[in-house]
Amino acid sequence: MWTLTKVPCPGYRNCTELGKLVLSSGLLNTSWSKISEIHESNLQSKDPPLEFQVYKEAKFVFVVFAAPPVCIDAFSNCGSTLVPNPESQDANLFSFLCSKKTPSFSLHTTALQLFASVAKNKSLTDLKTELLESTKPVIITGAALGGSIASLFTLWLLEKVEPELKRPLCITFGSPFIGDANLQQILENSVRNSCFLHVADATQTPIAKGFEPFGTYLICNESGCVCIEDPKAVMGLLLGGNTSLEGWRDYGEVLKSFDRFSMAEARVMVGDVIINGIKKRAEKKKNQRFDQLKRLDEVKISMAYMEWYKKDSKKAKIVYYDRFKNQPAAFVYEIRRRVMNNYWDTMVQEVEKMPQGEESYLKKRCLLSGNNYRRLMEPLDIAKYYHEGNKEYITTGRSHHYVMLEKWFKQSKLNEPLRGTGTDLSELLTFDSCFWSEVEEALIVIKCLNTQEGEREGLVSKLVGFEDYVWEIIRKREVSPEIFLEKSSFMTWWKEYKEIKGTRDGFGSSPSHFIEFMNTGKYKTYGKPDSNSSG
């Protein structure tokens, strides 16, 4: 006999606290009474349908699902249906749950088919809209297969629930698992996992091969109850048994037993392996837990160091990109660079574990900080890359986390800083964090052109393309004025490019806007207040 005063578990809520809250609130008893009411009304029916009832009460809205009885053998042997990513032609109601790391998962075929048969029903669609607008907490519940349908409905509803809104709570009783290990993994990295509380009799809850638990479990037997979220521990505690979904397990008797056991002194008979496993997995998960904002404050200190490095370089009239590339960086700056890269790389990995619908849940503070980090720090990664003699950074050297931070910021549609002709751009970070890699590639093209390495026409075309690219970001005032510092790599490129254009044919006869901008010296006043030098 083990006394579990608290079972630590990973997740959005503490499991024991959730158990105490639900028990003290009376939600379990209320949910079960409504399930029993529907069950009693269906006893006279030989072929009861899949149905749901809505109860609007003073404090809560209850949605109760009841499913027709299914032989446990048929349910266990029915198999699973693959749920592909949203971009697939076979995408279905639950494809939105797929993540970048886990692009597909499987749901139990019987449960999925039953739910899909009613999901198109206008009354259920209207209910979904109504619940999303509800000001009262929503409780979704069901027993046995009805609980499985309740879980699917909750997942379906959660697609449209914004992170700042109250999420529904799904309470099931003796319901079989509905998803595979991939779904479990996806939900473990999602706030949605906290929306499920499953009440289970340790000896009678059906277990089907190939399916795994998710959410929080309130598991009971004759010795008492325990509230846990650790999937492996749940599997270890549920013994399965010869139960039938055609039968009826009276969880009213189980709920009465809760009165005899305080959650603070919950008891359950388990072995050393399970208890130790719970503790080890919980501790491991706790160590892996990613606290975005707390660590972000620490990372901002490193950002401040690098911003100072940039300003100090500017005082010395050298672009910090070129300084980092051509002079060995002080150890402290290299360490700061690595700290920030590791943080944001981990951040992106964590987000990509989430269902795709939750990628946008990055807090505004993180999106803005990530964008500033990318624009400030990626040039240093580029400097290191080309200093080592590499080529084609964008296609072969760029870190995935930079790609995703740029993509997410663009998708967020957050406002960029004002940069009209009356705006001082001296502190502007170049929007395109890969600008310096474009400069390096243009320098490589000029070298090839001078040494006759490669087809001249193709090389010239690349240089003209780079010129067009540069003029566009100058015209939009999206590039920092520091690129025009006399000894910058960009000015090195310009001087060589200007010489080639003046001494060789194939570049056209009329000067472009960019050539005029550079030849007339307008670049010297670019980015200064009240300057119209960008054309």
Side-chain angles (χ1 to χ4, degrees):
M1 183 78 70
W2 288 85
T3 300
L4 301 182
T5 56
K6 180 179 180 181
V7 179
C9 58
Y12 184 69
R13 300 171 180 166
N14 178 276
C15 301
T16 302
E17 290 178 357
L18 177 61
K20 289 180 181 179
L21 175 64
V22 175
L23 285 175
S24 63
S25 68
L27 287 176
L28 293 184
N29 287 297
T30 304
S31 297
W32 182 252
S33 67
K34 298 184 184 307
I35 292 171
S36 299
E37 181 181 320
I38 297 178
H39 176 71
E40 291 296 326
S41 66
N42 286 339
L43 285 178
Q44 305 303 319
S45 175
K46 292 183 179 180
D47 189 20
L50 172 62
E51 62 176 313
F52 64 92
Q53 296 288 339
V54 181
Y55 300 83
K56 298 179 181 179
E57 302 194 344
K59 294 183 178 180
F60 300 95
V61 176
F62 287 86
V63 181
V64 184
F65 283 89
V70 176
C71 173
I72 188 64
D73 290 334
F75 189 90
S76 299
N77 298 322
C78 184
S80 59
T81 298
L82 183 69
V83 177
N85 67 63
E87 299 174 358
S88 169
Q89 293 182 348
D90 299 320
N92 64 28
L93 293 170
F94 300 98
S95 292
F96 70 91
L97 286 167
C98 296
S99 70
K100 289 287 193 304
K101 296 293 184 182
T102 312
S104 65
F105 60 91
S106 293
L107 289 172
H108 196 283
T109 300
T110 297
L112 179 60
Q113 288 177 344
L114 272 173
F115 179 76
S117 68
V118 296
K120 297 179 181 179
N121 188 307
K122 187 177 184 301
S123 60
L124 198 63
T125 303
D126 290 344
L127 175 63
K128 180 180 182 180
T129 302
E130 182 181 341
L131 295 179
L132 290 171
E133 298 173 352
S134 175
T135 57
K136 298 178 183 178
V138 175
I139 310 299
I140 303 166
T141 189
L145 185 55
S148 299
I149 303 302
S151 293
L152 290 174
F153 176 77
T154 303
L155 288 173
W156 187 52
L157 181 65
L158 285 169
E159 177 185 12
K160 300 298 182 180
V161 176
E162 295 297 330
E164 66 272 12
L165 299 179
K166 291 182 179 179
R167 292 183 290 278
L169 176 62
C170 177
I171 301 175
T172 72
F173 297 85
S175 298
F177 307 149
I178 59 169
D180 64 359
N182 282 352
L183 177 61
Q184 177 193 91
Q185 181 180 351
I186 291 171
L187 292 178
E188 275 190 333
N189 294 287
S190 167
V191 294
R192 295 180 173 99
N193 203 47
S194 65
C195 298
F196 297 87
L197 178 64
H198 308 285
V199 183
D201 185 317
T203 62
Q204 297 194 34
T205 298
I207 298 176
K209 185 177 180 181
F211 296 92
E212 301 288 336
F214 61 81
T216 302
Y217 272 77
L218 186 57
I219 301 175
C220 55
N221 64 11
E222 293 180 357
S223 301
C225 61
V226 63
C227 197
I228 56 175
E229 192 179 51
D230 186 287
K232 291 185 178 180
V234 170
M235 291 296 288
L237 293 171
L238 293 181
L239 306 177
N242 257 339
T243 181
S244 171
L245 290 176
E246 291 182 297
W248 179 252
R249 174 68 168 100
D250 187 358
Y251 272 84
E253 293 300 317
V254 175
L255 297 181
K256 288 179 182 178
S257 69
F258 290 159
D259 296 334
R260 303 193 299 270
F261 298 98
S262 166
M263 284 302 297
E265 297 177 351
R267 297 171 180 270
V268 64
M269 186 172 289
V270 293
D272 290 347
V273 174
I274 294 177
I275 290 297
N276 291 334
I278 292 173
K279 291 181 178 179
K280 288 180 180 179
R281 285 185 291 273
E283 188 62 32
K284 180 179 180 181
K285 198 70 177 180
K286 180 180 178 181
N287 293 335
Q288 293 175 344
R289 190 173 299 158
F290 198 73
D291 186 342
Q292 292 178 341
L293 297 183
K294 183 178 179 181
R295 287 202 59 203
L296 182 56
D297 287 336
E298 298 172 0
V299 168
K300 281 189 172 182
I301 297 174
S302 293
M303 277 286 285
Y305 271 87
M306 302 312 298
E307 287 167 352
W308 183 89
Y309 178 79
K310 183 177 185 295
K311 291 179 180 179
D312 186 60
S313 301
K314 185 177 179 181
K315 287 180 181 178
K317 297 185 178 181
I318 182 172
V319 181
Y320 80 113
Y321 167 81
D322 289 298
R323 180 183 178 185
F324 196 86
K325 177 185 176 185
N326 299 322
Q327 301 174 13
F331 179 73
V332 65
Y333 297 120
E334 177 62 16
I335 293 299
R336 296 291 179 181
R337 184 183 72 86
R338 292 181 184 180
V339 166
M340 285 188 283
N341 284 356
N342 288 338
Y343 170 82
W344 287 106
D345 184 52
T346 302
M347 166 72 82
V348 169
Q349 289 183 39
E350 290 294 321
V351 172
E352 289 191 325
K353 292 177 184 177
M354 298 177 182
Q356 290 185 34
E358 290 184 31
E359 287 184 353
S360 60
Y361 291 4
L362 268 178
K363 296 183 179 180
K364 182 177 180 180
R365 182 178 170 193
C366 289
L367 279 172
L368 290 171
S369 297
N371 192 54
N372 288 334
Y373 151 78
R374 175 179 61 83
R375 290 176 177 174
L376 178 67
M377 297 306 299
E378 187 167 14
L380 301 189
D381 282 15
I382 294 170
K384 187 176 178 65
Y385 183 83
Y386 283 95
H387 174 75
E388 294 171 352
N390 298 308
K391 298 180 181 180
E392 300 180 353
Y393 169 82
I394 294 177
T395 56
T396 62
R398 195 181 192 199
S399 173
H400 175 70
H401 77 281
Y402 285 129
V403 176
M404 299 312 300
L405 286 173
E406 182 176 13
K407 176 182 177 181
W408 292 335
F409 183 79
K410 288 180 179 179
Q411 290 176 341
S412 71
K413 298 181 180 179
L414 293 173
N415 293 328
E416 293 281 13
L418 295 175
R419 53 192 190 281
T421 55
T423 305
D424 183 1
L425 302 184
S426 59
E427 300 301 320
L428 182 75
L429 291 171
T430 299
F431 282 22
D432 184 0
S433 55
C434 290
F435 170 79
W436 292 106
S437 69
E438 299 285 4
V439 173
E440 294 288 355
E441 292 301 321
L443 285 168
I444 291 172
V445 170
I446 285 183
K447 181 179 179 181
C448 292
L449 197 60
N450 288 333
T451 57
Q452 300 299 319
E453 294 180 10
E455 183 184 350
R456 174 177 170 75
E457 184 177 348
L459 296 173
V460 168
S461 177
K462 288 181 179 180
L463 288 176
V464 172
F466 177 67
E467 177 190 326
D468 292 340
Y469 157 77
V470 172
W471 175 244
E472 181 67 8
I473 59 177
I474 290 175
R475 185 184 66 80
K476 291 182 177 179
R477 295 170 68 84
E478 293 180 352
V479 64
S480 171
E482 69 177 1
I483 72 168
F484 299 115
L485 289 174
E486 187 64 24
K487 296 180 180 180
S488 75
S489 293
F490 174 76
M491 292 302 287
T492 298
W493 169 84
W494 159 244
K495 292 169 186 175
E496 295 189 26
Y497 182 61
K498 179 181 179 181
E499 182 181 348
I500 291 175
K501 290 211 62 162
T503 59
R504 304 187 185 187
D505 57 0
F507 284 78
S509 56
S510 60
S512 64
H513 290 295
F514 171 73
I515 298 298
E516 180 183 357
F517 173 79
M518 296 299 293
N519 280 337
T520 57
K522 289 183 179 180
Y523 69 87
K524 295 178 181 179
T525 57
Y526 168 82
K528 294 181 180 180
D530 301 319
S531 169
N532 293 308
S533 61
S534 60

